[in-house]
PDB file of all heavy atoms in Angstrom:
ATOM      1  N   ARG A   1       9.467 -23.563  -2.389  1.00  0.00           N
ATOM      2  CA  ARG A   1       8.553 -22.747  -3.198  1.00  0.00           C
ATOM      3  C   ARG A   1       7.641 -21.899  -2.314  1.00  0.00           C
ATOM      4  O   ARG A   1       7.182 -22.337  -1.258  1.00  0.00           O
ATOM      5  CB  ARG A   1       7.678 -23.635  -4.081  1.00  0.00           C
ATOM      6  CG  ARG A   1       8.389 -24.348  -5.210  1.00  0.00           C
ATOM      7  CD  ARG A   1       7.384 -25.016  -6.135  1.00  0.00           C
ATOM      8  NE  ARG A   1       6.444 -25.843  -5.383  1.00  0.00           N
ATOM      9  CZ  ARG A   1       5.121 -25.668  -5.388  1.00  0.00           C
ATOM     10  NH1 ARG A   1       4.586 -24.689  -6.105  1.00  0.00           N
ATOM     11  NH2 ARG A   1       4.332 -26.463  -4.703  1.00  0.00           N
ATOM     12  N   LEU A   2       7.368 -20.691  -2.772  1.00  0.00           N
ATOM     13  CA  LEU A   2       6.315 -19.862  -2.204  1.00  0.00           C
ATOM     14  C   LEU A   2       5.021 -20.258  -2.900  1.00  0.00           C
ATOM     15  O   LEU A   2       4.896 -20.119  -4.118  1.00  0.00           O
ATOM     16  CB  LEU A   2       6.627 -18.382  -2.425  1.00  0.00           C
ATOM     17  CG  LEU A   2       5.640 -17.376  -1.850  1.00  0.00           C
ATOM     18  CD1 LEU A   2       5.626 -17.443  -0.339  1.00  0.00           C
ATOM     19  CD2 LEU A   2       5.993 -15.970  -2.315  1.00  0.00           C
ATOM     20  N   ILE A   3       4.070 -20.787  -2.157  1.00  0.00           N
ATOM     21  CA  ILE A   3       2.853 -21.342  -2.754  1.00  0.00           C
ATOM     22  C   ILE A   3       1.810 -20.263  -2.999  1.00  0.00           C
ATOM     23  O   ILE A   3       1.226 -20.150  -4.069  1.00  0.00           O
ATOM     24  CB  ILE A   3       2.280 -22.453  -1.850  1.00  0.00           C
ATOM     25  CG1 ILE A   3       3.299 -23.603  -1.728  1.00  0.00           C
ATOM     26  CG2 ILE A   3       0.955 -22.972  -2.402  1.00  0.00           C
ATOM     27  CD1 ILE A   3       2.929 -24.631  -0.684  1.00  0.00           C
ATOM     28  N   GLU A   4       1.552 -19.432  -1.980  1.00  0.00           N
ATOM     29  CA  GLU A   4       0.527 -18.397  -2.104  1.00  0.00           C
ATOM     30  C   GLU A   4       0.801 -17.292  -1.092  1.00  0.00           C
ATOM     31  O   GLU A   4       1.229 -17.553   0.031  1.00  0.00           O
ATOM     32  CB  GLU A   4      -0.868 -18.977  -1.852  1.00  0.00           C
ATOM     33  CG  GLU A   4      -2.001 -17.995  -2.058  1.00  0.00           C
ATOM     34  CD  GLU A   4      -3.367 -18.618  -1.852  1.00  0.00           C
ATOM     35  OE1 GLU A   4      -3.444 -19.815  -1.529  1.00  0.00           O
ATOM     36  OE2 GLU A   4      -4.365 -17.889  -2.027  1.00  0.00           O
ATOM     37  N   PHE A   5       0.571 -16.052  -1.504  1.00  0.00           N
ATOM     38  CA  PHE A   5       0.723 -14.909  -0.618  1.00  0.00           C
ATOM     39  C   PHE A   5      -0.516 -14.032  -0.742  1.00  0.00           C
ATOM     40  O   PHE A   5      -0.740 -13.389  -1.765  1.00  0.00           O
ATOM     41  CB  PHE A   5       1.991 -14.122  -0.976  1.00  0.00           C
ATOM     42  CG  PHE A   5       2.217 -12.884  -0.156  1.00  0.00           C
ATOM     43  CD1 PHE A   5       1.711 -12.750   1.137  1.00  0.00           C
ATOM     44  CD2 PHE A   5       2.956 -11.824  -0.669  1.00  0.00           C
ATOM     45  CE1 PHE A   5       1.916 -11.601   1.882  1.00  0.00           C
ATOM     46  CE2 PHE A   5       3.180 -10.675   0.073  1.00  0.00           C
ATOM     47  CZ  PHE A   5       2.648 -10.557   1.350  1.00  0.00           C
ATOM     48  N   ASP A   6      -1.355 -14.038   0.297  1.00  0.00           N
ATOM     49  CA  ASP A   6      -2.542 -13.205   0.357  1.00  0.00           C
ATOM     50  C   ASP A   6      -2.121 -11.847   0.906  1.00  0.00           C
ATOM     51  O   ASP A   6      -2.017 -11.650   2.126  1.00  0.00           O
ATOM     52  CB  ASP A   6      -3.583 -13.874   1.266  1.00  0.00           C
ATOM     53  CG  ASP A   6      -4.872 -13.082   1.387  1.00  0.00           C
ATOM     54  OD1 ASP A   6      -4.882 -11.893   1.012  1.00  0.00           O
ATOM     55  OD2 ASP A   6      -5.868 -13.650   1.880  1.00  0.00           O
ATOM     56  N   GLU A   7      -1.871 -10.901   0.024  1.00  0.00           N
ATOM     57  CA  GLU A   7      -1.353  -9.592   0.425  1.00  0.00           C
ATOM     58  C   GLU A   7      -2.379  -8.767   1.187  1.00  0.00           C
ATOM     59  O   GLU A   7      -2.013  -7.861   1.942  1.00  0.00           O
ATOM     60  CB  GLU A   7      -0.895  -8.821  -0.813  1.00  0.00           C
ATOM     61  CG  GLU A   7       0.229  -9.485  -1.581  1.00  0.00           C
ATOM     62  CD  GLU A   7       0.600  -8.706  -2.829  1.00  0.00           C
ATOM     63  OE1 GLU A   7       0.338  -7.473  -2.859  1.00  0.00           O
ATOM     64  OE2 GLU A   7       1.135  -9.304  -3.779  1.00  0.00           O
ATOM     65  N   HIS A   8      -3.648  -9.069   1.004  1.00  0.00           N
ATOM     66  CA  HIS A   8      -4.696  -8.299   1.681  1.00  0.00           C
ATOM     67  C   HIS A   8      -4.814  -8.705   3.147  1.00  0.00           C
ATOM     68  O   HIS A   8      -4.934  -7.846   4.039  1.00  0.00           O
ATOM     69  CB  HIS A   8      -6.039  -8.491   0.971  1.00  0.00           C
ATOM     70  CG  HIS A   8      -7.173  -7.756   1.620  1.00  0.00           C
ATOM     71  ND1 HIS A   8      -7.294  -6.382   1.584  1.00  0.00           N
ATOM     72  CD2 HIS A   8      -8.233  -8.221   2.348  1.00  0.00           C
ATOM     73  CE1 HIS A   8      -8.377  -6.015   2.243  1.00  0.00           C
ATOM     74  NE2 HIS A   8      -8.968  -7.102   2.730  1.00  0.00           N
ATOM     75  N   ASN A   9      -4.761  -9.992   3.417  1.00  0.00           N
ATOM     76  CA  ASN A   9      -4.971 -10.495   4.774  1.00  0.00           C
ATOM     77  C   ASN A   9      -3.677 -10.905   5.486  1.00  0.00           C
ATOM     78  O   ASN A   9      -3.719 -11.279   6.665  1.00  0.00           O
ATOM     79  CB  ASN A   9      -5.917 -11.701   4.741  1.00  0.00           C
ATOM     80  CG  ASN A   9      -7.320 -11.307   4.299  1.00  0.00           C
ATOM     81  OD1 ASN A   9      -7.938 -10.430   4.877  1.00  0.00           O
ATOM     82  ND2 ASN A   9      -7.804 -11.965   3.240  1.00  0.00           N
ATOM     83  N   GLY A  10      -2.551 -10.843   4.787  1.00  0.00           N
ATOM     84  CA  GLY A  10      -1.290 -11.185   5.421  1.00  0.00           C
ATOM     85  C   GLY A  10      -1.132 -12.645   5.745  1.00  0.00           C
ATOM     86  O   GLY A  10      -0.628 -13.014   6.812  1.00  0.00           O
ATOM     87  N   LEU A  11      -1.545 -13.505   4.820  1.00  0.00           N
ATOM     88  CA  LEU A  11      -1.375 -14.949   4.982  1.00  0.00           C
ATOM     89  C   LEU A  11      -0.405 -15.449   3.921  1.00  0.00           C
ATOM     90  O   LEU A  11      -0.533 -15.089   2.740  1.00  0.00           O
ATOM     91  CB  LEU A  11      -2.709 -15.677   4.848  1.00  0.00           C
ATOM     92  CG  LEU A  11      -3.736 -15.433   5.948  1.00  0.00           C
ATOM     93  CD1 LEU A  11      -5.049 -16.119   5.613  1.00  0.00           C
ATOM     94  CD2 LEU A  11      -3.209 -15.931   7.289  1.00  0.00           C
ATOM     95  N   LEU A  12       0.548 -16.254   4.325  1.00  0.00           N
ATOM     96  CA  LEU A  12       1.551 -16.766   3.397  1.00  0.00           C
ATOM     97  C   LEU A  12       1.639 -18.279   3.524  1.00  0.00           C
ATOM     98  O   LEU A  12       1.758 -18.809   4.634  1.00  0.00           O
ATOM     99  CB  LEU A  12       2.917 -16.135   3.668  1.00  0.00           C
ATOM    100  CG  LEU A  12       4.063 -16.583   2.761  1.00  0.00           C
ATOM    101  CD1 LEU A  12       4.933 -15.395   2.363  1.00  0.00           C
ATOM    102  CD2 LEU A  12       4.937 -17.634   3.460  1.00  0.00           C
ATOM    103  N   SER A  13       1.584 -18.967   2.383  1.00  0.00           N
ATOM    104  CA  SER A  13       1.757 -20.419   2.342  1.00  0.00           C
ATOM    105  C   SER A  13       3.022 -20.734   1.556  1.00  0.00           C
ATOM    106  O   SER A  13       3.252 -20.171   0.480  1.00  0.00           O
ATOM    107  CB  SER A  13       0.551 -21.091   1.665  1.00  0.00           C
ATOM    108  OG  SER A  13      -0.637 -20.838   2.382  1.00  0.00           O
ATOM    109  N   ALA A  14       3.853 -21.604   2.121  1.00  0.00           N
ATOM    110  CA  ALA A  14       5.125 -21.934   1.473  1.00  0.00           C
ATOM    111  C   ALA A  14       5.559 -23.321   1.869  1.00  0.00           C
ATOM    112  O   ALA A  14       5.081 -23.900   2.861  1.00  0.00           O
ATOM    113  CB  ALA A  14       6.197 -20.919   1.866  1.00  0.00           C
ATOM    114  N   GLU A  15       6.472 -23.870   1.065  1.00  0.00           N
ATOM    115  CA  GLU A  15       7.055 -25.161   1.410  1.00  0.00           C
ATOM    116  C   GLU A  15       8.038 -25.004   2.570  1.00  0.00           C
ATOM    117  O   GLU A  15       8.577 -23.913   2.810  1.00  0.00           O
ATOM    118  CB  GLU A  15       7.741 -25.766   0.192  1.00  0.00           C
ATOM    119  CG  GLU A  15       6.759 -26.175  -0.893  1.00  0.00           C
ATOM    120  CD  GLU A  15       7.439 -26.820  -2.094  1.00  0.00           C
ATOM    121  OE1 GLU A  15       8.599 -26.459  -2.393  1.00  0.00           O
ATOM    122  OE2 GLU A  15       6.803 -27.674  -2.741  1.00  0.00           O
ATOM    123  N   ALA A  16       8.289 -26.098   3.243  1.00  0.00           N
ATOM    124  CA  ALA A  16       9.021 -26.047   4.514  1.00  0.00           C
ATOM    125  C   ALA A  16      10.487 -25.682   4.361  1.00  0.00           C
ATOM    126  O   ALA A  16      11.112 -25.218   5.318  1.00  0.00           O
ATOM    127  CB  ALA A  16       8.905 -27.394   5.230  1.00  0.00           C
ATOM    128  N   GLY A  17      11.070 -25.866   3.186  1.00  0.00           N
ATOM    129  CA  GLY A  17      12.489 -25.589   3.008  1.00  0.00           C
ATOM    130  C   GLY A  17      12.812 -24.152   2.665  1.00  0.00           C
ATOM    131  O   GLY A  17      13.989 -23.793   2.555  1.00  0.00           O
ATOM    132  N   ILE A  18      11.803 -23.299   2.516  1.00  0.00           N
ATOM    133  CA  ILE A  18      12.066 -21.899   2.208  1.00  0.00           C
ATOM    134  C   ILE A  18      12.675 -21.216   3.435  1.00  0.00           C
ATOM    135  O   ILE A  18      12.329 -21.525   4.570  1.00  0.00           O
ATOM    136  CB  ILE A  18      10.763 -21.178   1.772  1.00  0.00           C
ATOM    137  CG1 ILE A  18      11.079 -19.849   1.095  1.00  0.00           C
ATOM    138  CG2 ILE A  18       9.812 -21.002   2.937  1.00  0.00           C
ATOM    139  CD1 ILE A  18       9.861 -19.202   0.430  1.00  0.00           C
ATOM    140  N   THR A  19      13.600 -20.305   3.217  1.00  0.00           N
ATOM    141  CA  THR A  19      14.245 -19.620   4.340  1.00  0.00           C
ATOM    142  C   THR A  19      13.493 -18.348   4.698  1.00  0.00           C
ATOM    143  O   THR A  19      12.752 -17.787   3.887  1.00  0.00           O
ATOM    144  CB  THR A  19      15.701 -19.256   4.010  1.00  0.00           C
ATOM    145  OG1 THR A  19      15.720 -18.354   2.900  1.00  0.00           O
ATOM    146  CG2 THR A  19      16.526 -20.501   3.696  1.00  0.00           C
ATOM    147  N   PHE A  20      13.712 -17.876   5.911  1.00  0.00           N
ATOM    148  CA  PHE A  20      13.127 -16.610   6.320  1.00  0.00           C
ATOM    149  C   PHE A  20      13.614 -15.465   5.443  1.00  0.00           C
ATOM    150  O   PHE A  20      12.872 -14.536   5.143  1.00  0.00           O
ATOM    151  CB  PHE A  20      13.472 -16.329   7.784  1.00  0.00           C
ATOM    152  CG  PHE A  20      12.510 -16.938   8.774  1.00  0.00           C
ATOM    153  CD1 PHE A  20      11.679 -17.976   8.404  1.00  0.00           C
ATOM    154  CD2 PHE A  20      12.443 -16.472  10.072  1.00  0.00           C
ATOM    155  CE1 PHE A  20      10.784 -18.538   9.307  1.00  0.00           C
ATOM    156  CE2 PHE A  20      11.552 -17.014  10.989  1.00  0.00           C
ATOM    157  CZ  PHE A  20      10.722 -18.047  10.608  1.00  0.00           C
ATOM    158  N   SER A  21      14.877 -15.503   5.028  1.00  0.00           N
ATOM    159  CA  SER A  21      15.403 -14.430   4.182  1.00  0.00           C
ATOM    160  C   SER A  21      14.654 -14.360   2.856  1.00  0.00           C
ATOM    161  O   SER A  21      14.362 -13.264   2.348  1.00  0.00           O
ATOM    162  CB  SER A  21      16.900 -14.618   3.939  1.00  0.00           C
ATOM    163  OG  SER A  21      17.176 -15.871   3.333  1.00  0.00           O
ATOM    164  N   ALA A  22      14.311 -15.524   2.282  1.00  0.00           N
ATOM    165  CA  ALA A  22      13.558 -15.547   1.025  1.00  0.00           C
ATOM    166  C   ALA A  22      12.140 -15.032   1.233  1.00  0.00           C
ATOM    167  O   ALA A  22      11.586 -14.332   0.367  1.00  0.00           O
ATOM    168  CB  ALA A  22      13.534 -16.967   0.458  1.00  0.00           C
ATOM    169  N   ILE A  23      11.539 -15.371   2.355  1.00  0.00           N
ATOM    170  CA  ILE A  23      10.197 -14.872   2.654  1.00  0.00           C
ATOM    171  C   ILE A  23      10.207 -13.349   2.813  1.00  0.00           C
ATOM    172  O   ILE A  23       9.361 -12.638   2.262  1.00  0.00           O
ATOM    173  CB  ILE A  23       9.650 -15.540   3.929  1.00  0.00           C
ATOM    174  CG1 ILE A  23       9.398 -17.040   3.683  1.00  0.00           C
ATOM    175  CG2 ILE A  23       8.368 -14.858   4.389  1.00  0.00           C
ATOM    176  CD1 ILE A  23       8.979 -17.809   4.924  1.00  0.00           C
ATOM    177  N   LEU A  24      11.173 -12.837   3.545  1.00  0.00           N
ATOM    178  CA  LEU A  24      11.248 -11.398   3.794  1.00  0.00           C
ATOM    179  C   LEU A  24      11.401 -10.603   2.496  1.00  0.00           C
ATOM    180  O   LEU A  24      10.849  -9.503   2.362  1.00  0.00           O
ATOM    181  CB  LEU A  24      12.403 -11.090   4.744  1.00  0.00           C
ATOM    182  CG  LEU A  24      12.181 -11.509   6.202  1.00  0.00           C
ATOM    183  CD1 LEU A  24      13.499 -11.519   6.962  1.00  0.00           C
ATOM    184  CD2 LEU A  24      11.182 -10.580   6.881  1.00  0.00           C
ATOM    185  N   ALA A  25      12.160 -11.140   1.562  1.00  0.00           N
ATOM    186  CA  ALA A  25      12.369 -10.433   0.300  1.00  0.00           C
ATOM    187  C   ALA A  25      11.054 -10.226  -0.451  1.00  0.00           C
ATOM    188  O   ALA A  25      10.909  -9.256  -1.209  1.00  0.00           O
ATOM    189  CB  ALA A  25      13.347 -11.214  -0.572  1.00  0.00           C
ATOM    190  N   VAL A  26      10.089 -11.107  -0.201  1.00  0.00           N
ATOM    191  CA  VAL A  26       8.794 -11.009  -0.875  1.00  0.00           C
ATOM    192  C   VAL A  26       7.809 -10.159  -0.090  1.00  0.00           C
ATOM    193  O   VAL A  26       7.094  -9.322  -0.649  1.00  0.00           O
ATOM    194  CB  VAL A  26       8.204 -12.423  -1.100  1.00  0.00           C
ATOM    195  CG1 VAL A  26       6.783 -12.342  -1.641  1.00  0.00           C
ATOM    196  CG2 VAL A  26       9.089 -13.223  -2.039  1.00  0.00           C
ATOM    197  N   ILE A  27       7.762 -10.333   1.225  1.00  0.00           N
ATOM    198  CA  ILE A  27       6.677  -9.734   1.999  1.00  0.00           C
ATOM    199  C   ILE A  27       6.948  -8.301   2.450  1.00  0.00           C
ATOM    200  O   ILE A  27       6.016  -7.501   2.581  1.00  0.00           O
ATOM    201  CB  ILE A  27       6.315 -10.606   3.219  1.00  0.00           C
ATOM    202  CG1 ILE A  27       7.464 -10.658   4.237  1.00  0.00           C
ATOM    203  CG2 ILE A  27       5.907 -11.998   2.761  1.00  0.00           C
ATOM    204  CD1 ILE A  27       7.116 -11.402   5.521  1.00  0.00           C
ATOM    205  N   VAL A  28       8.201  -7.942   2.709  1.00  0.00           N
ATOM    206  CA  VAL A  28       8.495  -6.599   3.226  1.00  0.00           C
ATOM    207  C   VAL A  28       8.057  -5.507   2.243  1.00  0.00           C
ATOM    208  O   VAL A  28       7.402  -4.527   2.647  1.00  0.00           O
ATOM    209  CB  VAL A  28       9.986  -6.463   3.596  1.00  0.00           C
ATOM    210  CG1 VAL A  28      10.341  -5.005   3.886  1.00  0.00           C
ATOM    211  CG2 VAL A  28      10.309  -7.322   4.812  1.00  0.00           C
ATOM    212  N   PRO A  29       8.348  -5.609   0.946  1.00  0.00           N
ATOM    213  CA  PRO A  29       7.894  -4.547   0.020  1.00  0.00           C
ATOM    214  C   PRO A  29       6.374  -4.414  -0.050  1.00  0.00           C
ATOM    215  O   PRO A  29       5.869  -3.383  -0.500  1.00  0.00           O
ATOM    216  CB  PRO A  29       8.477  -5.005  -1.329  1.00  0.00           C
ATOM    217  CG  PRO A  29       9.651  -5.856  -0.971  1.00  0.00           C
ATOM    218  CD  PRO A  29       9.233  -6.582   0.261  1.00  0.00           C
ATOM    219  N   LYS A  30       5.662  -5.433   0.399  1.00  0.00           N
ATOM    220  CA  LYS A  30       4.201  -5.384   0.391  1.00  0.00           C
ATOM    221  C   LYS A  30       3.627  -4.928   1.735  1.00  0.00           C
ATOM    222  O   LYS A  30       2.409  -4.927   1.933  1.00  0.00           O
ATOM    223  CB  LYS A  30       3.635  -6.773   0.041  1.00  0.00           C
ATOM    224  CG  LYS A  30       4.089  -7.304  -1.300  1.00  0.00           C
ATOM    225  CD  LYS A  30       3.624  -6.417  -2.463  1.00  0.00           C
ATOM    226  CE  LYS A  30       4.038  -7.016  -3.800  1.00  0.00           C
ATOM    227  NZ  LYS A  30       3.597  -6.162  -4.948  1.00  0.00           N
ATOM    228  N   GLY A  31       4.510  -4.584   2.676  1.00  0.00           N
ATOM    229  CA  GLY A  31       4.037  -4.063   3.955  1.00  0.00           C
ATOM    230  C   GLY A  31       3.736  -5.106   5.004  1.00  0.00           C
ATOM    231  O   GLY A  31       2.905  -4.880   5.887  1.00  0.00           O
ATOM    232  N   TRP A  32       4.464  -6.227   4.942  1.00  0.00           N
ATOM    233  CA  TRP A  32       4.268  -7.287   5.926  1.00  0.00           C
ATOM    234  C   TRP A  32       5.612  -7.751   6.465  1.00  0.00           C
ATOM    235  O   TRP A  32       6.642  -7.600   5.819  1.00  0.00           O
ATOM    236  CB  TRP A  32       3.510  -8.475   5.330  1.00  0.00           C
ATOM    237  CG  TRP A  32       2.129  -8.133   4.877  1.00  0.00           C
ATOM    238  CD1 TRP A  32       1.730  -7.777   3.625  1.00  0.00           C
ATOM    239  CD2 TRP A  32       0.953  -8.089   5.696  1.00  0.00           C
ATOM    240  NE1 TRP A  32       0.397  -7.512   3.594  1.00  0.00           N
ATOM    241  CE2 TRP A  32      -0.117  -7.700   4.858  1.00  0.00           C
ATOM    242  CE3 TRP A  32       0.694  -8.342   7.046  1.00  0.00           C
ATOM    243  CZ2 TRP A  32      -1.429  -7.564   5.328  1.00  0.00           C
ATOM    244  CZ3 TRP A  32      -0.604  -8.203   7.521  1.00  0.00           C
ATOM    245  CH2 TRP A  32      -1.647  -7.823   6.668  1.00  0.00           C
ATOM    246  N   PHE A  33       5.583  -8.370   7.651  1.00  0.00           N
ATOM    247  CA  PHE A  33       6.807  -8.854   8.278  1.00  0.00           C
ATOM    248  C   PHE A  33       6.519 -10.171   8.982  1.00  0.00           C
ATOM    249  O   PHE A  33       5.366 -10.507   9.275  1.00  0.00           O
ATOM    250  CB  PHE A  33       7.339  -7.832   9.296  1.00  0.00           C
ATOM    251  CG  PHE A  33       8.816  -7.974   9.582  1.00  0.00           C
ATOM    252  CD1 PHE A  33       9.757  -7.531   8.665  1.00  0.00           C
ATOM    253  CD2 PHE A  33       9.255  -8.562  10.758  1.00  0.00           C
ATOM    254  CE1 PHE A  33      11.117  -7.665   8.917  1.00  0.00           C
ATOM    255  CE2 PHE A  33      10.594  -8.699  11.030  1.00  0.00           C
ATOM    256  CZ  PHE A  33      11.536  -8.250  10.105  1.00  0.00           C
ATOM    257  N   LEU A  34       7.578 -10.920   9.244  1.00  0.00           N
ATOM    258  CA  LEU A  34       7.433 -12.173   9.991  1.00  0.00           C
ATOM    259  C   LEU A  34       6.938 -11.875  11.397  1.00  0.00           C
ATOM    260  O   LEU A  34       7.417 -10.938  12.047  1.00  0.00           O
ATOM    261  CB  LEU A  34       8.772 -12.902  10.055  1.00  0.00           C
ATOM    262  CG  LEU A  34       9.277 -13.494   8.741  1.00  0.00           C
ATOM    263  CD1 LEU A  34      10.748 -13.846   8.848  1.00  0.00           C
ATOM    264  CD2 LEU A  34       8.453 -14.734   8.376  1.00  0.00           C
ATOM    265  N   PRO A  35       6.011 -12.675  11.913  1.00  0.00           N
ATOM    266  CA  PRO A  35       5.452 -12.388  13.235  1.00  0.00           C
ATOM    267  C   PRO A  35       6.444 -12.599  14.363  1.00  0.00           C
ATOM    268  O   PRO A  35       6.364 -11.929  15.398  1.00  0.00           O
ATOM    269  CB  PRO A  35       4.278 -13.362  13.338  1.00  0.00           C
ATOM    270  CG  PRO A  35       4.666 -14.512  12.454  1.00  0.00           C
ATOM    271  CD  PRO A  35       5.397 -13.880  11.304  1.00  0.00           C
ATOM    272  N   VAL A  36       7.361 -13.521  14.179  1.00  0.00           N
ATOM    273  CA  VAL A  36       8.402 -13.831  15.164  1.00  0.00           C
ATOM    274  C   VAL A  36       9.654 -14.200  14.393  1.00  0.00           C
ATOM    275  O   VAL A  36       9.592 -14.947  13.420  1.00  0.00           O
ATOM    276  CB  VAL A  36       7.998 -15.010  16.079  1.00  0.00           C
ATOM    277  CG1 VAL A  36       9.158 -15.437  16.967  1.00  0.00           C
ATOM    278  CG2 VAL A  36       6.785 -14.650  16.933  1.00  0.00           C
ATOM    279  N   SER A  37      10.786 -13.680  14.819  1.00  0.00           N
ATOM    280  CA  SER A  37      12.029 -13.987  14.125  1.00  0.00           C
ATOM    281  C   SER A  37      13.161 -14.159  15.124  1.00  0.00           C
ATOM    282  O   SER A  37      13.353 -13.306  15.998  1.00  0.00           O
ATOM    283  CB  SER A  37      12.370 -12.864  13.142  1.00  0.00           C
ATOM    284  OG  SER A  37      13.431 -13.249  12.292  1.00  0.00           O
TER     285      SER A  37
END
């Protein structure tokens, strides 16, 4: 599960089983990216 996404400050909270691909699908359209991949 994606728990919380602070779009203003670029903070994302999620459960440990979420994949990077699932995270990217949410954050990229909002102007954010993974810090290391």
Side-chain angles (χ1 to χ4, degrees):
R1 291 189 309 121
L2 182 65
I3 298 170
E4 184 178 1
F5 178 26
D6 180 345
E7 298 178 24
H8 179 71
N9 294 305
L11 292 175
L12 180 138
S13 299
E15 292 182 329
I18 195 170
T19 62
F20 273 19
S21 58
I23 292 175
L24 288 164
V26 173
I27 66 175
V28 170
K30 301 298 183 180
W32 297 95
F33 203 76
L34 290 165
V36 172
S37 191

